[in-house]
Amino acid sequence: MLKFAPRHTDYQQLPEPMKQLAQQRWQQFIEQHEPAPQRQQTLAAWLPWTMAISDFVCKVVMRYGEQALEPMFRRQPGSHKAALATQLAPCGDSEVQVMHALRRYRQIEMARLATQDLMGELTVPDFLAANSSLADALIEAAAEWAAKSQQARYGQAFDSQGEVMPLVVIAMGKLGGEELNFSSDIDLIFCFEHGGQTQGGRQSIEHSVFFTRVGQTLIKLLGQQTIDGQVFRVDMRLRPFGQSGPMAVSFAALEDYYQEQGRNWERYAMVKARYLNATPELEQQLFSMLRPFVYRRYIDYSAIEALRKMKLLINQEARRRGVADNIKLGLGGIREIEFIAQTFQLIRGGRERDLQTRSLIKALHVCEKLQLLSNADVSRLHEAYMTLRKVEHVLQQLNDEQTQTLPQDEDTQLRVALACGFETFELCQQRIAAHMQEVHRQFLNVVGSEEELQTENDSALSILWQDLLDDATALDVLKEAGVGADHAGDWWQAIQLCRQQVRKRSPGTRGRELLATLVPRIVEYAAQGAVAVESLQRAFAVVQTIASRTAYLDLLVNNAGALRQLLVLCHASPWIAHQIERYPHLLDELIDPQQLYNLPELTSYRAQVQEFLNRIPLDEMEAQMEALRQVKQSFQLKVAAADVADGVALMRVSDHLTFLAEAVIEQVVAMAWQQLTDRHGAPPGRDLHNSGFAVIGYGKLGGIELGYGSDLDLVFVCDDIQDTQTQGERPIDSQQFYLRLAQRVLHLFTTRTLSGVLYDVDMRLRPSGNAGLMVIQLSTYDDYLGREAWTWELQALVRARMVFGHEHMHRRFEQIRRRHLAQPRDLDALRHDIVSMREKMRQHLLKRSAQGVDIKQMPGGMTDIEFLTQYLVLAHADKYPQLCTYTDNVRILEHAEKAGLLNQAQLAVLIDNYKLLRAKNHRLSLAEQQGISHDDLSANAEQVLSVWQVLLGSATVNKAGAEAAK
């Protein structure tokens, strides 16, 4: 067995600077603790030398004196469990005293081990076993006290046999393998046998809550920094779901997690898992439960690829941190020896039970036995491992610091060399370099080179998707990628949150592989494009939605153009990003950027929507509904993409959205007609072409001014109905038929499917509003407009347009509309009605914001211009019937100017401002700003208000316009 020992422990033989330090510290110790002459003579043979080598041992000895020296002097410890029980007994229920006692015991025992190791009295395996045994005892003592601390209030957790259930602590990593290095954090997972309620306390709580409290107390006892330091740094990131996961989980939840979501690196970690604070029965139960996850029954060559990728990322991190001198993470370091052993364990451990060991050394010798590695290779790996671990311990024993980096200063280099038995550090370094070179050679033989590992899909930022990456490294990686120092923290937080959310969606093995490629690439592209973190978060929201849908992940991983388009659109518009997030089928539209930005001719929407639906059988109504929603969303995305790229003019944006809506309406009516006639037949002489049913579009739809997310203001009308019945197997009255047809149309629009609703529909503009009939005969509609319509209903009629119906119904509707708009009116009464209605609307609809203005409802805003336009039609259409020709505001205003109702300056004010505000409204919709602009629009509002005052003669309603628009 390799044993490393210094050449001497006589401080008189130390080089001069260290000799002086030893003398100084030894004298200080004598003065402070006054040992007896005989004891002083015994201690002088080794203690001054040890205190000169190790600052840590010096501090402990100086602080605790004989308490620290007594165990060192007798060299061998007693039972840690018994000793800790004795020391904790006087503490009672005082958490402060328990923390002090645990830390004192740890410091003294660690100083004992450091002294024995530095003096060469322990082999490396002996030291590893002793250090791990000490950690086990401290953890179990702390766990026992933590459970008792909760007992008075919450009682205890009992199993089905009535026995007390412990908090089982799964020791991972080096502690799990009983190979804990000197100054190490400890990786733990907390679990318990099963759920239930605690019993015997003042309050009963769920086992999960109880053991979470116990676990939190345990972490505090061990990990909290006090004046006495800490027992161990506790790392819980290996638990299910990492930092976002529950503190303690039941055995069943643990099993479910690893079966459903366990990843290759977690298999790697679980090789070392060991169970503390548990009965032998619970240990066996856990081992049997987790073994199938770690060790596959077949020879698992997929494990080698996962380990190779892990090592590649570790190498990348090592380079970034500048760890060429790191004997753990550097090339040929301790980590590579572990990888060699665990590669064979994961590949063949399911078939070869001897490989199912936590011990790295045992695993290497089993590899030799199975002829997976030669005798010479195992011997060289064994020697390298012992040497590197010895050096690691010495580095940490100097000052109880978790470091594996060879020192740069001469003083520390000399200490390391002397403790390892070398005369100079150069000789020590040469031995280390030779071992690491040999380890790396063997590693490459087993796992492969970086060039072999790196594939075209690997991003330089892949390291950012690793669970256990520390914050400092992540921030450095992001800064190197081009993310500003001020923003790197926000980016890293977004990446971490994305990882937490993705894990909740159970992406599966293939999904995890794709995500490990996709997310770093998104970060890389986003950094190249210098986008804001909000854009990155929007892209991540899409990723979270598709995390369990590998087809979409595949699409983005294997199509760089689509991924770049996603980032472009997420950066340009939160509305677009949220559309893609809600409806991932839209990702298909990103594959061909040329097609994405190539909008159809306006007149072709009907044919294209029809063509899309032709793929779906007529009798599959749910599929038809879903397809109609998807085609609408796809075309809407195209329009928005062209809009944000400045590839389409403002007026054309509304044209496209309106023509798309009309094409959808036509298909909805056709679908409803098909469903109804299949059951009841059609009214006599009617078919889909001449159905006797029509849809009138009001508001933005009627005015050909639809925006993103606009609802549809609709009124359903029908021809005058005769007293007839439909001609089918189950005939119904024709009047009932049209009512059901209207209801069916509304149902098809508003039913929420996987792809959402088709359009929100507002029918409050029908005669008598919500109290009116769902569908009304044209003659009744005509009569209502003439006898009962309010001024505001006639204003709405200005923008009304039939968007579906037979040609003869179109003609009849236009006649009705023109006749009622062109009635002579009392202008004073008209102005009063319009001004009053405008004020009521503003009071109810104006969005008040300290940061901006409501561009629609503000005085001098879009709605004021629309009211002015409606006033011109209602006031003057009796003399200028051409005002009734169009339903959109711009062309109505142009006709008003030709009729002499506006001068050219007024026309320019209204049209220019209307276009400006509409353009801003489109942009605000895409930015999800709810119509609130942060621009100073006071000058524009004043211009509109000046025209308002001329035409309507009232400044009272809008007198605060200029101020409100600022």
Side-chain angles (χ1 to χ4, degrees):
M1 179 67 66
L2 285 170
K3 191 172 182 180
F4 299 86
R7 292 174 177 269
H8 62 81
T9 59
D10 181 2
Y11 79 94
Q12 299 285 358
Q13 299 183 43
L14 289 171
E16 192 55 39
M18 288 190 66
K19 179 180 178 180
Q20 292 178 7
L21 178 65
Q23 289 174 331
Q24 177 187 344
R25 290 180 171 179
W26 173 235
Q27 188 61 38
Q28 185 180 352
F29 171 79
I30 292 173
E31 294 173 357
Q32 185 171 332
H33 294 286
E34 300 178 347
Q38 185 176 356
R39 185 64 177 273
Q40 188 176 136
Q41 184 178 358
T42 305
L43 294 175
W46 56 271
L47 186 56
W49 182 92
T50 306
M51 289 196 295
I53 295 292
S54 171
D55 295 343
F56 167 68
V57 172
C58 181
K59 289 175 186 175
V60 173
V61 169
M62 290 296 188
R63 178 171 185 181
Y64 296 106
E66 189 60 32
Q67 291 182 64
L69 288 173
E70 193 274 332
M72 287 184 192
F73 193 67
R74 57 182 169 81
R75 293 290 186 251
Q76 296 300 321
S79 165
H80 288 307
K81 184 174 182 180
L84 280 166
T86 300
Q87 297 210 20
L88 293 181
C91 300
D93 58 0
S94 171
E95 187 176 75
V96 172
Q97 291 185 35
V98 169
M99 291 171 70
H100 173 71
L102 289 171
R103 282 152 181 75
R104 181 182 60 213
Y105 190 86
R106 183 262 183 196
Q107 301 283 65
I108 291 173
E109 286 299 311
M110 292 294 280
R112 176 183 66 81
L113 286 174
T115 300
Q116 292 184 12
D117 194 41
L118 289 169
M119 294 176 64
E121 296 185 4
L122 294 175
T123 65
V124 172
D126 287 343
F127 175 85
L128 295 175
N131 199 35
S132 300
S133 174
L134 172 61
D136 289 355
L138 287 163
I139 292 168
E140 291 185 334
E144 182 179 352
W145 191 90
K148 287 181 179 177
S149 72
Q150 306 295 322
Q151 189 171 338
R153 181 172 182 181
Y154 301 115
Q156 295 175 297
F158 294 92
D159 63 19
S160 55
Q161 279 75 46
E163 298 293 328
V164 175
M165 280 198 307
L167 174 71
V168 178
V169 179
I170 304 180
M172 306 290 284
K174 297 278 199 315
L175 177 59
E178 297 180 274
E179 299 161 348
L180 191 66
N181 49 285
F182 183 79
S183 184
S184 176
D185 55 7
I186 52 175
D187 298 295
L188 305 179
I189 297 174
F190 298 152
C191 58
F192 54 92
E193 190 174 1
H194 60 72
Q197 295 282 136
T198 58
Q199 301 173 37
R202 298 191 303 271
Q203 178 184 351
S204 178
I205 58 175
E206 291 281 347
H207 285 176
S208 59
V209 178
F210 174 76
F211 285 114
T212 294
R213 292 180 183 274
V214 173
Q216 289 169 336
T217 304
L218 172 57
I219 292 171
K220 183 178 181 181
L221 292 176
L222 297 177
Q224 182 168 304
Q225 280 284 0
T226 71
I227 193 172
D228 301 305
Q230 60 184 172
V231 183
F232 293 107
R233 293 173 293 273
V234 180
D235 192 335
M236 296 290 296
R237 291 178 297 170
L238 294 181
R239 70 184 187 268
F241 299 108
Q243 290 172 309
S244 61
M247 181 68 70
V249 295
S250 67
F251 286 8
L254 198 67
E255 182 177 28
D256 287 345
Y257 172 81
Y258 287 117
Q259 284 183 350
E260 298 295 327
Q261 302 199 46
R263 289 159 295 175
N264 279 310
W265 73 261
E266 288 173 305
R267 287 182 61 202
Y268 170 85
M270 271 291 166
V271 168
K272 297 284 191 183
R274 187 164 58 90
Y275 313 108
L276 306 179
N277 205 44
T279 63
E281 292 77 18
L282 291 178
E283 289 185 34
Q284 184 58 44
Q285 184 179 345
L286 276 170
F287 180 74
S288 300
M289 183 179 78
L290 295 176
R291 181 169 56 190
F293 166 65
V294 182
Y295 300 109
R296 307 293 161 82
R297 293 179 182 176
Y298 50 86
I299 296 179
D300 183 16
Y301 288 105
S302 68
I304 194 169
E305 181 64 20
L307 289 168
R308 291 167 72 185
K309 291 295 184 186
M310 286 172 61
K311 180 55 184 169
L312 174 63
L313 295 173
I314 290 167
N315 288 354
Q316 290 174 347
E317 180 179 2
R319 281 195 298 274
R320 287 191 173 90
R321 295 165 110 184
V323 292
D325 291 330
N326 190 302
I327 60 171
K328 177 182 178 182
L329 300 179
L331 300 182
I334 296 167
R335 181 63 60 83
E336 288 194 354
I337 303 175
E338 294 169 343
F339 266 90
I340 291 170
Q342 287 174 314
T343 296
F344 290 115
Q345 285 183 282
L346 292 182
I347 292 172
R348 297 178 178 271
R351 298 278 292 271
E352 303 289 347
R353 288 294 180 95
D354 289 348
L355 282 170
Q356 296 180 14
T357 175
R358 303 180 186 100
S359 167
L360 181 143
I361 295 302
K362 288 181 182 177
L364 286 176
H365 287 296
V366 173
C367 289
E368 178 185 356
K369 174 185 171 183
L370 297 174
Q371 297 183 336
L372 301 173
L373 291 171
S374 70
N375 178 275
D377 283 346
V378 170
S379 178
R380 284 190 284 265
L381 287 173
H382 181 271
E383 185 177 350
Y385 183 71
M386 294 301 169
T387 301
L388 295 176
R389 290 306 302 269
K390 171 64 179 181
V391 174
E392 177 188 37
H393 295 155
V394 171
L395 289 171
Q396 296 177 356
Q397 288 160 357
L398 299 185
N399 202 24
D400 194 17
E401 292 178 342
Q402 187 180 17
T403 179
Q404 290 93 11
T405 302
L406 296 176
Q408 299 299 313
D409 65 287
E410 293 183 1
D411 176 64
T412 309
Q413 288 178 345
L414 181 59
R415 294 188 195 193
V416 171
L418 293 175
C420 291
F422 294 93
E423 289 186 3
T424 66
F425 183 71
E426 287 74 21
L427 292 173
C428 179
Q429 200 168 26
Q430 288 172 13
R431 176 75 62 84
I432 292 169
H435 282 308
M436 292 180 72
Q437 186 176 359
E438 171 61 22
V439 169
H440 191 57
R441 180 191 68 80
Q442 293 200 41
F443 174 80
L444 295 180
N445 287 341
V446 173
V447 179
S449 68
E450 284 201 25
E451 290 74 18
E452 294 171 316
L453 299 182
Q454 195 85 38
T455 70
E456 62 180 11
N457 284 332
D458 288 326
S459 166
L461 305 184
S462 294
I463 193 171
L464 293 172
W465 195 240
Q466 301 310 300
D467 284 305
L468 305 181
L469 182 65
D470 66 85
D471 294 343
T473 302
L475 296 177
D476 288 342
V477 170
L478 288 168
K479 291 171 191 174
E480 289 173 15
V483 180
D486 294 341
H487 305 296
D490 294 334
W491 282 51
W492 177 227
Q493 187 176 5
I495 294 166
Q496 290 176 298
L497 180 60
C498 178
R499 183 168 60 236
Q500 293 170 11
Q501 295 301 317
V502 159
R503 294 186 69 174
K504 296 176 183 178
R505 303 209 174 233
S506 304
T509 303
R510 176 59 178 159
R512 289 193 293 270
E513 293 171 356
L514 291 167
L515 285 163
T517 300
L518 175 60
V519 174
R521 193 176 296 170
I522 288 175
V523 178
E524 182 180 347
Y525 290 175
Q528 291 170 359
V531 303
V533 69
E534 291 80 10
S535 304
L536 186 69
Q537 291 166 336
R538 292 169 201 152
F540 283 165
V542 174
V543 170
Q544 291 162 30
T545 298
I546 63 173
S548 59
R549 303 170 74 172
T550 55
Y552 290 126
L553 295 175
D554 254 321
L555 183 155
L556 293 176
V557 166
N558 295 308
N559 193 310
L563 182 55
R564 289 189 184 276
Q565 284 304 315
L566 174 63
L567 284 166
V568 166
L569 296 175
C570 286
H571 176 61
S573 165
W575 183 85
I576 295 177
H578 290 146
Q579 286 290 299
I580 298 173
E581 176 191 348
R582 293 186 193 105
Y583 313 118
H585 68 87
L586 295 174
L587 290 169
D588 293 329
E589 303 299 328
L590 309 184
I591 295 175
D592 186 349
Q594 191 171 6
Q595 285 296 317
L596 175 64
Y597 295 99
N598 185 21
L599 295 180
E601 292 294 327
L602 293 175
T603 54
S604 71
Y605 274 108
R606 294 191 176 191
Q608 293 202 35
V609 171
Q610 176 68 61
E611 180 183 350
F612 192 90
L613 290 180
N614 284 343
R615 307 169 192 170
I616 313 296
L618 289 174
D619 58 350
E620 295 184 12
M621 185 52 60
E622 289 186 6
Q624 290 260 341
M625 292 171 66
E626 191 71 10
L628 196 53
R629 283 154 176 74
Q630 292 182 1
V631 71
K632 174 247 184 175
Q633 291 157 1
S634 296
F635 279 124
Q636 198 168 241
L637 174 66
K638 287 175 176 283
V639 175
D643 190 1
V644 297
D646 294 326
V648 59
L650 159 71
M651 304 292 284
R652 302 299 282 178
V653 169
S654 290
D655 288 349
H656 280 280
L657 295 174
T658 302
F659 275 73
L660 171 61
E662 291 180 26
V664 169
I665 289 169
E666 181 178 70
Q667 293 304 318
V668 168
V669 175
M671 291 163 63
W673 178 272
Q674 182 71 41
Q675 285 183 288
L676 219 55
T677 54
D678 283 349
R679 177 174 295 185
H680 302 294
R686 298 295 187 181
D687 56 27
L688 180 58
H689 175 66
N690 183 18
S691 63
F693 180 82
V695 180
I696 302 171
Y698 276 72
K700 288 185 171 58
L701 175 61
I704 319 178
E705 295 172 355
L706 276 184
Y708 303 106
S710 292
D711 57 7
L712 303 182
D713 293 302
L714 301 181
V715 172
F716 300 140
V717 297
C718 62
D719 261 340
D720 297 340
I721 302 170
Q722 305 299 319
D723 188 13
T724 59
Q725 288 193 320
T726 58
Q727 298 174 322
E729 292 184 5
R730 290 192 286 176
I732 57 175
D733 290 342
S734 295
Q735 185 171 352
Q736 184 71 11
F737 175 87
Y738 285 115
L739 175 60
R740 291 191 182 182
L741 181 62
Q743 291 170 335
R744 192 65 194 165
V745 167
L746 192 61
H747 170 78
L748 293 173
F749 268 121
T750 59
T751 296
R752 186 171 296 278
T753 70
L754 290 175
S755 295
V757 298
L758 190 51
Y759 284 100
D760 287 318
V761 175
D762 191 338
M763 296 194 62
R764 291 175 296 175
L765 290 176
R766 69 185 187 269
S768 302
N770 287 336
L773 296 172
M774 182 73 73
V775 60
I776 189 170
Q777 298 181 46
L778 270 174
S779 59
T780 306
Y781 177 76
D782 184 11
D783 185 64
Y784 176 86
L785 291 174
R787 295 175 181 270
E788 300 181 46
W790 296 77
T791 300
W792 66 265
E793 291 177 291
L794 296 172
Q795 287 179 251
L797 186 64
V798 171
R799 306 183 76 184
R801 184 170 58 89
M802 186 168 285
V803 293
F804 174 84
H806 190 268
E807 186 179 343
H808 85 271
M809 295 190 73
H810 269 279
R811 288 197 299 270
R812 189 173 173 195
F813 167 74
E814 272 304 310
Q815 291 168 0
I816 293 170
R817 175 179 174 273
R818 284 172 177 267
R819 184 169 67 253
H820 290 290
L821 291 179
Q823 292 296 313
R825 292 179 175 85
D826 182 326
L827 296 189
D828 288 337
L830 177 64
R831 280 193 289 266
H832 177 271
D833 288 351
I834 287 179
V835 170
S836 298
M837 176 52 62
R838 182 69 195 98
E839 182 60 23
K840 289 178 182 177
M841 182 182 290
R842 197 187 327 275
Q843 289 174 357
H844 285 89
L845 300 179
L846 179 66
K847 299 169 187 171
R848 303 185 184 279
S849 169
Q851 288 77 36
V853 293
D854 182 343
I855 63 173
K856 290 177 66 177
Q857 299 298 334
M858 72 175 185
M862 286 175 62
T863 306
D864 277 3
I865 298 173
E866 291 167 356
F867 268 53
L868 286 171
T869 305
Q870 293 156 13
Y871 167 74
L872 289 169
V873 174
L874 294 177
H876 303 291
D878 59 328
K879 299 183 184 66
Y880 305 102
Q882 64 268 31
L883 293 173
C884 302
T885 304
Y886 298 108
T887 60
D888 61 284
N889 290 289
V890 171
R891 286 187 289 187
I892 292 174
L893 290 171
E894 288 173 344
H895 275 293
E897 188 270 337
K898 290 177 184 177
L901 303 174
L902 296 171
N903 60 40
Q904 289 187 348
Q906 291 169 330
L907 177 68
V909 164
L910 296 179
I911 288 183
D912 290 350
N913 280 294
Y914 192 62
K915 288 182 177 180
L916 171 71
L917 295 174
R918 276 184 61 196
K920 287 186 178 295
N921 197 43
H922 278 310
R923 286 290 185 266
L924 291 171
S925 295
L926 291 172
E928 296 186 337
Q929 292 296 316
Q930 306 298 322
I932 301 297
S933 174
H934 301 283
D935 297 330
D936 182 359
L937 299 172
S938 55
N940 305 84
E942 287 174 355
Q943 292 173 351
V944 174
L945 290 174
S946 66
V947 179
W948 176 283
Q949 186 163 1
V950 170
L951 295 181
L952 292 174
S954 172
T956 56
V957 173
N958 290 306
K959 62 184 178 181
E963 286 302 315
K966 288 183 180 179

